[in-house]
């Protein structure tokens, strides 16, 4: 019996060791498969499509960089940046480019739909992308830093699209009906921008070096890139493909995926990846509420309004302690306004003038100067609003109607203060000891030059002529402490 138990125990032990060995082997296979899946793009993962329209701004930079981080976390095979931009802020452009260069997921920039453009900052983003494609009848280029010289560079239609400091779309950008009007004639010799100062020369050379570096990284036409900066050159989609500025012209997103299939791109770590994009599904990622909110509050017009509401709200709270609503709304608005201005290319002289102007307008209310402080404050406020944002980028500037409204509001506030002040000087005093002067009183008792009078329902000690008698009517000449000096009513004239 004991021998039987020993045999049974041995068999169970052998079975357990066999199961344990097989379990460890299966676990090793599972971990290996997981490791392989982590090292290569997920099978069947979609290509992410980002929709970017408008100026390059802090909001668009936040949208693109967060989307690239999400694509990297999900190990997607490709991110397509469909864009139509006139340019934008240099700081936001460089933030987007840094995100693209550091992205472990290949990025394909695609200028679309027909009639779209990648001017100014958009050209830099195209050069930084792993894959550059354009739809027919689109254009790119015109990235001359002309605004630093105080000159124009915009076309006659006002379609200039600068990028600070500023890289601005030039006349070369004019769009024809088929988009081919954006390209310069090869027989023409575009005039090169000649820097007038050392600062302008440094800005141009910095822009040239930056875009040439991106061109060399992606093996694209570096000479044309330099011409886009120095001579504001622009190209149509077809000519851009012929000159090696972009990789190809694609009719739509499906055509882009088909043509990009098999391309070898260099990643941030120096490795090369062969794209396998044909037949990929597309996942469109629209800007979320955070991007929309950031787009609203980084509008210079909204930032200026938030600043004004915040400062006036706090002033009203100080004048009426305990009101709570003006202070709460003002504090929130002021913080949001300061946050907005921190994201914009702020001119601190403009911000200082705005604060000075508001201070002078408030001082007019507390120390009336009959309009001198108020008008000076309005001038400072309007001047500060004009130069508040240090850029001429389309959509990133304080609008003229808002500046006019600010000026009108300041003048109206000054007029009201002056009107009320002048009225207070003309009005009869109705309280305090000053109100008793020229008031009529009745003598109740009198002896010599002193006595008492009945004045406004009260008995007052009085001084006056010797010939006064009880029940005589007198007029108050002066109030000294608790004594009134009176004179007979018939002598009031």
């Amino acid at each position: 019996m004991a021998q039987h138990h020993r045999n049974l125990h041995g068999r169970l032990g052998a079975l357990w060791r066999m199961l344990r060995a097989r379990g460890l082997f299966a676990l090793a296979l599972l971990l290996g498969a997981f490791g392989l899946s982590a090292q290569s793009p997920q099978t069947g993962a979609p290509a992410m499509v980002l929709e970017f329209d408008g100026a390059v701004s802090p909001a668009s930079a936040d949208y693109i960089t967060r989307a690239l981080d999400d694509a990297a976390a999900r190990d997607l095979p490709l991110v397509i940046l469909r864009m139509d931009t006139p340019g934008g802020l240099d700081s936001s452009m460089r933030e987007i480019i840094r995100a693209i260069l550091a992205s472990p997921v290949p990025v394909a920039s695609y200028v679309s739909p027909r009639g779209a453009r990648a001017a100014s900052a958009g050209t830099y983003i195209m050069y930084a992308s792993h894959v550059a494609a354009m739809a027919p009848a689109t254009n790119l280029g015109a990235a001359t830093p002309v605004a630093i010289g105080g000159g124009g560079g915009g076309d006659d239609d006002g379609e200039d699209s600068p990028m600070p400091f500023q890289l601005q779309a030039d006349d070369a950008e004019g769009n024809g009906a088929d988009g081919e009007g954006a390209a310069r004639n090869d027989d023409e010799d575009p005039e090169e921008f000649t820097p007038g100062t050392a600062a302008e020369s440094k800005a141009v050379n910095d822009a040239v070096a930056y875009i040439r570096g991106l061109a060399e990284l992606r093996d694209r036409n570096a000479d044309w890139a330099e011409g886009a900066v120095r001579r504001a050159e622009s190209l149509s989609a077809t000519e851009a493909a012929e000159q090696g500025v972009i990789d190809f012209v694609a009719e739509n997103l499906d055509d882009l995926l088909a043509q990009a299939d098999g391309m070898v791109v260099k990643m941030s770590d120096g490795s090369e990846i062969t794209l396998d994009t044909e037949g990929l599904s597309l996942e469109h990622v629209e800007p979320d509420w955070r991007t929309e909110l950031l787009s609203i509050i980084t509008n210079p017009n909204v930032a200026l309004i938030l600043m004004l509401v915040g400062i006036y709200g706090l002033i009203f709270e100080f004048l009426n302690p305990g009101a709570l609503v003006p202070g709460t709304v003002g504090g929130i608005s002021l913080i949001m306004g300061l946050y907005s201005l921190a994201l914009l290319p702020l001119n601190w002289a403009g911000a200082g003038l705005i604060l000075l102007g508001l201070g002078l307008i408030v001082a007019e209310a507390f120390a009336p100067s009959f309009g001198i402080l108020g008008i000076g404050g309005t001038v400072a406020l309007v001047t500060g609003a004009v130069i508040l944002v240090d850029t001429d980028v389309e959509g990133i500037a304080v609008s003229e109607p808002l500046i006019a409204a600010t000026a009108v509001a300041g003048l109206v506030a000054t007029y009201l203060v002056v009107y009320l002040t002048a009225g207070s000087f003309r009005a009869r005093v109705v309280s305090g000891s000053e109100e008793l002067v020229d008031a009529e009183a009745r003598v109740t008792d009198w002896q010599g030059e002193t006595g008492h009078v009945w004045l406004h329902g009260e008995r007052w000690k009085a001084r006056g002529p010797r010939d006064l008698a009880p029940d005589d009517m007198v007029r108050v000449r002066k109030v000294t402490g608790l004594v009134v000096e009176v004179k007979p009513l018939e002598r009031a004239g």
Side-chain angles (χ1 to χ4, degrees), residues 68 96-109 123-133 210-222 225 243-248 263-273 275:
L68 291 178
I96 293 173
I97 290 177
R98 283 193 296 268
I100 292 176
L101 297 180
S103 173
V105 178
V107 177
S109 289
T123 302
Y124 284 72
I125 295 174
M126 291 286 290
Y127 265 81
S129 302
H130 302 86
V131 179
Y210 190 52
I211 199 168
R212 286 193 71 95
L214 297 174
E216 293 168 1
L217 177 66
R218 301 303 183 201
D219 195 23
R220 298 198 175 104
N221 192 330
Q243 297 189 30
V245 174
I246 62 173
D247 296 305
F248 50 80
M263 286 184 60
V264 178
V265 296
K266 183 182 294 185
M267 305 308 294
S268 59
D269 58 359
S271 61
E272 294 184 346
I273 293 180
L275 299 181

Side-chain angles (χ1 to χ4, degrees), residues 313-325:
L314 293 179
I315 290 173
F316 291 148
E317 182 67 30
F318 292 148
L319 294 176
N320 301 277
L324 300 181
V325 174

Side-chain angles (χ1 to χ4, degrees), residues 10-32:
R11 291 177 180 177
L12 291 175
L15 178 61
W16 166 249
R17 287 191 295 273
M18 181 180 67
L19 291 175
R20 185 174 62 181
R22 291 183 177 180
L24 292 175
F25 180 71
L27 180 61
L29 289 178
L30 181 62
L31 291 176

Side-chain angles (χ1 to χ4, degrees), residues 13 40 48 106 228 246 272 274 278 299 305 328 358 398 409 428 449:
S40 60
M48 179 183 290
I246 62 173
E272 294 184 346
T274 301
E278 188 171 9
N299 185 314
I305 293 174
T328 302
L358 291 173
V398 180
R428 183 176 182 274
E449 295 182 352

Side-chain angles (χ1 to χ4, degrees), residues 206-362:
D206 176 77
V208 168
Y210 190 52
I211 199 168
R212 286 193 71 95
L214 297 174
E216 293 168 1
L217 177 66
R218 301 303 183 201
D219 195 23
R220 298 198 175 104
N221 192 330
D223 292 335
W224 181 87
E226 181 173 350
V229 175
R230 295 192 183 278
R231 296 181 295 277
E233 294 181 359
S234 292
L235 289 176
S236 66
T238 303
E239 292 181 333
E242 292 174 353
Q243 297 189 30
V245 174
I246 62 173
D247 296 305
F248 50 80
V249 177
E251 292 286 343
N252 48 47
L253 291 175
D254 292 332
D255 187 22
L256 184 150
L257 294 176
Q259 295 192 58
D261 187 58
M263 286 184 60
V264 178
V265 296
K266 183 182 294 185
M267 305 308 294
S268 59
D269 58 359
S271 61
E272 294 184 346
I273 293 180
T274 301
L275 299 181
D276 183 11
T277 59
E278 188 171 9
L280 285 178
S281 60
L282 299 175
E283 177 185 339
H284 292 265
V285 177
E286 300 290 340
D288 57 9
W289 66 269
R290 170 175 166 172
T291 302
E292 296 293 343
L293 177 62
L294 195 61
S295 177
I296 292 173
I297 66 175
T298 53
N299 185 314
N301 300 299
V302 176
L304 179 58
I305 293 174
L306 289 173
M307 288 286 293
L308 296 177
V309 171
I311 293 175
Y312 280 124
L314 293 179
I315 290 173
F316 291 148
E317 182 67 30
F318 292 148
L319 294 176
N320 301 277
L324 300 181
V325 174
T328 302
V329 175
I332 295 174
S333 300
L334 184 60
I335 292 175
M336 292 183 65
L338 292 174
Y339 174 73
S340 302
L341 294 178
L343 298 176
L344 294 170
L346 183 65
N347 186 328
W348 289 105
L353 284 171
I354 289 177
L355 294 178
L356 176 62
L358 291 173
L360 292 176
I361 293 175
V362 173

